[in-house]
Amino acid sequence: MIAFLGMGHLGSNFVKALLRNGNRVQVWNKTASKAKALEEAGAIAFDDVKDAVKGADRIHLTLKDDASVDEVLEAASASFVPGTMIIDHTTTTAEGAAMRTELWKSRGYTYLHAPVFMGPINALECTGTMLVSGDQAVIAGIEPELAKMTNVVINFGTKNNTAAGMKLIGNLFLIAMTAGVADSLSLAKGFGISTDDVATLFNSWNPGAMLPARLKKITSKTFDQPTWELAMARKDAGLMMAEANRTGVPLVVIPPVADNMNSWIAKGHGTDDWTVIAKDTVV
């Protein structure tokens, strides 16, 4: 028996997929109507989280944050069966993931943090990426079932909170990328260039394909072998900001990046590759 706690868009579609694949699933949500809505798909909904986990040997969570995970697990724990496995897909702090792993182990249960990169449609279609780390015997035992939910499961080794950290790293990049897109669209607006034209550019030229090479450049620390000198990159950033000021559109990302470039130029790195701005982040 599987129990699933947290029936937001992601959780509810995970449940629908599990039901479609022949699983019995008991569900709970703080707003009970969201759990009840899944009864039409075959789920068994409960108003009390303690009832939702009764008889379940596997409990999945898709909640809001550390506090909600701790609150819900504590409330549900009175009905845990011996050997219950808790699989938490919530995006949380790395510290919280490590604490919960040890806490529930001390109480005789298994907690595995398994955050995901996927949207509700992916959850319904069982496509996406799930991250895990920690006890490798535990992961080996459950990974086939997790792979049915997302297709791709990436194992980051024995440290019990690496998966949590990797989820935050990935989300940071998504936020930064979206903020960069917003700056690009602001500049396009200032130029009177349509979003369709911007889409035409990025449909043909995919800067995302450069990411592995850019990461390799930074981590190899070969900043003295420039393909785009920092001073030239800073010149272009200056052109962007000047045009934005002239046309009255806001830029959020570029100004602080330009300030960082200035500090590295002041240190004498103007002729280095512009990726030198990431030098201090490399271990």
Side-chain angles (χ1 to χ4, degrees), residues 35-103:
K36 291 287 185 183
L38 288 164
E39 290 183 328
E40 290 184 4
I44 307 167
F46 293 89
D47 293 333
D48 191 322
V49 69
K50 293 192 297 293
D51 295 330
V53 302
K54 283 181 180 177
D57 53 10
R58 197 168 107 209
I59 300 170
H60 292 259
L61 300 95
T62 52
L63 299 172
K64 179 183 178 182
D65 53 21
D66 290 89
S68 61
V69 171
D70 291 337
E71 178 185 355
V72 168
L73 286 178
E74 196 60 47
S77 63
S79 297
F80 286 175
V81 299
T84 292
M85 171 170 274
I86 304 160
I87 303 172
D88 185 8
H89 307 294
T90 309
T91 300
T92 69
T93 63
E95 181 183 19
M99 179 276 294
R100 279 183 289 278
T101 302
E102 297 305 319
L103 172 66

Side-chain angles (χ1 to χ4, degrees), residues 163-243:
M166 292 303 299
K167 176 60 191 294
L168 293 178
I169 289 166
N171 276 6
L172 183 152
F173 186 83
L174 291 176
I175 291 169
M177 179 178 67
T178 302
V181 170
D183 266 13
S184 296
L185 292 175
S186 284
L187 194 57
K189 181 179 180 181
F191 286 138
I193 294 174
S194 72
T195 54
D196 287 342
D197 282 343
V198 175
T200 297
L201 172 64
F202 289 114
N203 285 336
S204 299
W205 172 63
N206 178 16
M210 303 176 187
L211 179 58
R214 191 60 49 79
L215 182 61
K216 183 178 180 180
K217 180 74 172 178
I218 292 170
T219 56
S220 68
K221 304 181 183 180
T222 54
F223 305 117
D224 60 347
Q225 301 171 29
T227 57
W228 190 19
E229 290 186 358
L230 176 58
M232 294 301 292
R234 176 60 181 87
K235 180 267 295 182
D236 288 359
L239 294 177
M240 298 166 201
M241 292 187 293
E243 290 290 353

